[in-house]
Amino acid sequence: MNSKIRVRFAPSPTGFLHVGGLRTALYNYLFARHHGGKFILRIEDTDQARRVEGAMENLMATLGWAGVQYDEGPDRDGGHGPYIQSQRLELYRAHAAELVAKGKAYYCFCAPERLEDLRQRQSAAKERISYDRHCRDLAMSEVEKLLAQGGRSVIRMKVPLEGAVVFQDLIRGEVSIANEVLDDQVLLKSDGFPTYHLAVVVDDHHMGISHVIRGEEWLPSTPKHVLLYQYFGWELPHFAHLPLLLNPDKSKLSKRQGDVAVEDYRAKGYLKEAIINFIAFLGWNPGDERDILSMDELIKEFSLERVGKSGAVFNVEKLDWLNFQHLRKKPDAEVLSMLKEYLAGSPFAGKHFDDQYLMIIIGAMRERATFVQDFVEKCGYFYQAPDQYEPDVVKKRWKPETPDQMKILAEEFSRLENPKKEDYESALHRVAETLKIKQSDLIHPLRLAVSGMGAGPGLYDILIVLGKEETIRRIRSAMERVK
Ligand code: GLU
């Protein structure tokens, strides 16, 4: 069956790629790759009013950045195109006409005012909002007359009045919906564009889609789709509806509680490896202890059987942790090039730093960096001498006698030749002993003097990065400036 596996991601180009959209795309991609099938990108732009200029290009670029590569799509022909629905209008019109001819759909001439009126009456009476099937049984001659007059019309599907639609969902099991709760859905709008329901069925069939993997919000539409497959006499694809994404408070994931556009996370410096890993676990897990997986490992492990039914909580702290883990796994050379790229857009852009110098910073900061920018922002003192000193730390650690002690320490340091960490350490011990003070009375002020801060990587690591001359310069400068 492998070569027959064909899945698709079918976004509407209405804005940025949502994290939920990336989850759908990723699961389709992983499923296709796992089975050696094909992954298709189809653009569903039949709602022209909601179309946003540039959204399609943006979507394609974001998928590309994330490494979710499609085999067929608007810019990758696979013999099933076009892959943009607005370029397939004739096909939808022909299929709508076919359903009318088969008695499975009908023309509806109801004016928008009448429908609005109906909606208001139903809503006032607390009834289910649905079309009252006013035009469902118009005589053929009447339909022809109205069509000849060129009046505004739509085509609606004829939902059976009795019975139920039953289908299997790979995640939710058997789903059964009574036909009486289904509306006579519009299939073709008066502007000649199909609705989502007609287009999605026609395309999934003609593009040979074997598995429809999409968000749970589409589950209520599926019975209508199943009926359409039956009307056309087409084989049903497999359906798999993915669980909802939730905010930590279990409400539906929304913008109000944080970013939902993949781009926002990218702009904040999240690595694609971390985002992919994180998104993959929103509704799925490999069934063992592992939680740090690469794309290749995800492809190997992914299965729809392990996708859960219950909503998946979007927890940004987990994403941060994964970013830290994936950043830590990267080779130094890669971190170096990311750091240089970041520096080029930072306030330090004009200054030159040797690769060797940056490498030492990377070594000192690795265990403290969640993001590449942390190699700069959490330790600006490696790039420029501190111009201020944390007031709390000054208050607690910088005593009236500290400047004199720092002076002696600087003198002791100046006698060292090519000092290593241990040399600084024993020099500090000697001074503490001579002055009969605790080492910590020197260590804390020294950290403050060289970094301006009270915490950071190992103190002697900082001294190694800065070098002896700069260390002494900073101690002297602090002696004058810290008050
Ligand atoms: N165009 C729909 C969307 O925007 C696709 C739903 C489906 O996958 O059938 O998500």
Side-chain angles (χ1 to χ4, degrees):
M1 86 167 183
N2 292 4
S3 64
K4 295 255 174 59
I5 296 264
R6 289 177 59 83
V7 293
R8 83 311 190 268
F9 174 48
S12 300
T14 54
F16 296 119
L17 180 59
H18 187 281
V19 287
L22 181 59
R23 201 258 318 248
T24 302
L26 178 63
Y27 282 18
N28 275 283
Y29 171 79
L30 296 175
F31 185 74
R33 287 290 173 274
H34 181 90
H35 291 287
K38 293 274 188 261
F39 172 51
I40 291 125
L41 174 68
R42 182 174 72 225
I43 301 298
E44 304 210 325
D45 61 345
T46 59
D47 190 346
Q48 290 286 302
R50 294 181 58 224
R51 222 179 126 255
V52 171
E53 205 51 57
M56 177 179 93
E57 291 73 12
N58 183 282
L59 257 154
M60 288 164 38
T62 307
L63 287 177
W65 170 77
V68 179
Q69 290 147 344
Y70 45 90
D71 305 297
E72 299 175 22
D75 56 348
R76 239 160 275 174
D77 189 22
H80 292 76
Y83 296 90
I84 300 179
Q85 288 188 327
S86 58
Q87 297 172 8
R88 300 167 65 85
L89 299 179
E90 280 317 314
L91 186 70
Y92 310 128
R93 287 173 193 156
H95 282 85
E98 180 189 329
L99 290 183
V100 174
K102 284 179 161 170
K104 297 295 186 191
Y106 59 93
Y107 284 95
C108 166
F109 300 92
C110 290
E113 298 75 36
R114 176 177 186 279
L115 296 175
E116 184 47 38
D117 222 49
L118 177 65
R119 246 192 301 275
Q120 290 196 357
R121 269 187 287 126
Q122 287 171 335
S123 138
K126 301 217 173 352
E127 285 169 14
R128 198 167 52 80
I129 308 290
S130 65
Y131 178 57
D132 61 359
R133 300 179 163 139
H134 183 73
C135 296
R136 180 162 162 139
D137 298 312
L138 287 181
M140 201 49 153
S141 55
E142 181 72 1
V143 170
E144 272 162 13
K145 200 181 87 196
L146 287 166
L147 284 177
Q149 285 169 4
R152 180 191 168 283
S153 66
V154 302
I155 292 179
R156 289 181 182 272
M157 70 186 283
K158 219 180 230 180
V159 173
L161 302 176
E162 287 165 0
V165 182
V166 182
F167 63 93
Q168 298 297 325
D169 186 277
L170 293 174
I171 294 164
R172 318 201 68 85
E174 184 173 290
V175 179
S176 168
I177 300 281
N179 284 329
E180 62 178 7
V181 304
L182 299 178
D183 204 2
D184 276 2
Q185 177 68 52
V186 173
L187 299 177
L188 199 67
K189 296 180 276 187
S190 58
D191 62 1
F193 276 74
T195 56
Y196 157 69
H197 305 280
L198 176 64
V200 79
V201 168
V202 168
D203 286 348
D204 284 342
H205 172 72
H206 285 287
M207 293 183 178
I209 300 303
S210 62
H211 293 70
V212 171
I213 304 169
R214 62 185 168 200
E216 190 177 292
E217 64 273 27
W218 301 102
L219 189 61
S221 301
T222 310
K224 294 173 189 170
H225 303 173
V226 171
L227 283 175
L228 290 173
Y229 279 98
Q230 290 169 359
Y231 292 172
F232 286 119
W234 293 337
E235 196 187 323
L236 273 186
H238 297 283
F239 291 103
H241 287 91
L242 308 175
L244 287 178
L245 298 188
L246 308 174
N247 292 308
D249 69 2
K250 301 287 164 79
S251 59
K252 194 172 168 224
L253 186 67
S254 70
K255 231 189 177 119
R256 272 178 300 115
Q257 299 196 28
D259 291 317
V260 290
V262 177
E263 275 186 40
D264 293 338
Y265 289 94
R266 181 182 176 184
K268 283 186 176 165
Y270 286 97
L271 299 170
K272 66 177 183 188
E273 291 87 349
I275 292 183
I276 289 296
N277 191 161
F278 175 70
I279 296 266
F281 276 70
L282 293 173
W284 172 89
N285 66 70
D288 55 34
E289 296 297 291
R290 286 175 302 166
D291 43 17
I292 305 166
L293 285 120
S294 66
M295 187 71 106
D296 285 341
E297 290 166 326
L298 291 169
I299 291 172
K300 187 160 163 271
E301 300 299 333
F302 188 80
S303 76
L304 287 173
E305 285 79 48
R306 293 209 58 81
V307 175
K309 281 205 230 342
S310 46
V313 174
F314 193 93
N315 177 349
V316 179
E317 280 156 31
K318 172 94 188 283
L319 175 58
D320 286 355
W321 180 80
L322 282 169
N323 212 69
F324 171 75
Q325 297 295 344
H326 281 278
L327 185 58
R328 205 158 71 145
K329 280 172 76 171
K330 286 201 179 287
D332 283 346
E334 202 180 329
V335 178
L336 175 66
S337 77
M338 291 192 294
L339 172 56
K340 285 163 86 171
E341 198 185 314
Y342 180 78
L343 278 171
S346 82
F348 302 117
K351 287 179 101 179
H352 175 76
F353 301 100
D354 285 347
D355 284 4
Q356 214 194 339
Y357 183 72
L358 295 176
M359 281 298 225
I360 314 177
I361 297 177
I362 291 171
M365 290 298 292
R366 250 200 191 274
E367 290 305 315
R368 295 164 182 275
T370 298
F371 299 98
V372 170
Q373 61 263 34
D374 291 346
F375 288 108
V376 180
E377 260 134 55
K378 281 195 175 167
C379 52
Y381 46 82
F382 286 143
Y383 303 88
Q384 119 191 330
D387 49 12
Q388 47 197 5
Y389 303 89
E390 281 184 344
D392 290 355
V393 187
V394 171
K395 211 167 140 202
K396 194 158 162 220
R397 307 289 190 188
W398 198 270
K399 314 230 167 75
E401 60 276 20
T402 303
D404 287 341
Q405 296 167 348
M406 286 291 109
K407 184 163 178 255
I408 299 170
L409 185 65
E411 279 159 11
E412 191 70 24
F413 281 175
S414 69
R415 280 191 281 275
L416 302 174
E417 269 182 54
N418 292 324
K420 301 200 186 44
K421 279 208 281 198
E422 310 78 71
D423 303 323
Y424 284 117
E425 202 171 351
S426 42
L428 187 137
H429 287 193
R430 284 196 298 278
V431 172
E433 238 162 63
T434 320
L435 296 175
K436 299 198 168 35
I437 56 174
K438 289 189 290 214
Q439 288 173 29
S440 60
D441 290 335
L442 294 172
I443 289 176
H444 295 297
L446 175 58
R447 177 185 286 283
L448 185 73
V450 295
S451 73
M453 301 169 88
L459 173 61
Y460 301 108
D461 287 324
I462 300 183
L463 304 190
I464 292 296
V465 176
L466 296 176
K468 186 176 102 174
E469 303 309 323
E470 181 63 16
T471 299
I472 293 172
R473 223 186 336 266
R474 289 189 185 188
I475 296 175
R476 298 222 160 105
S477 156
M479 283 160 50
E480 284 169 22
R481 293 168 58 216
V482 181
K483 293 271 146 34

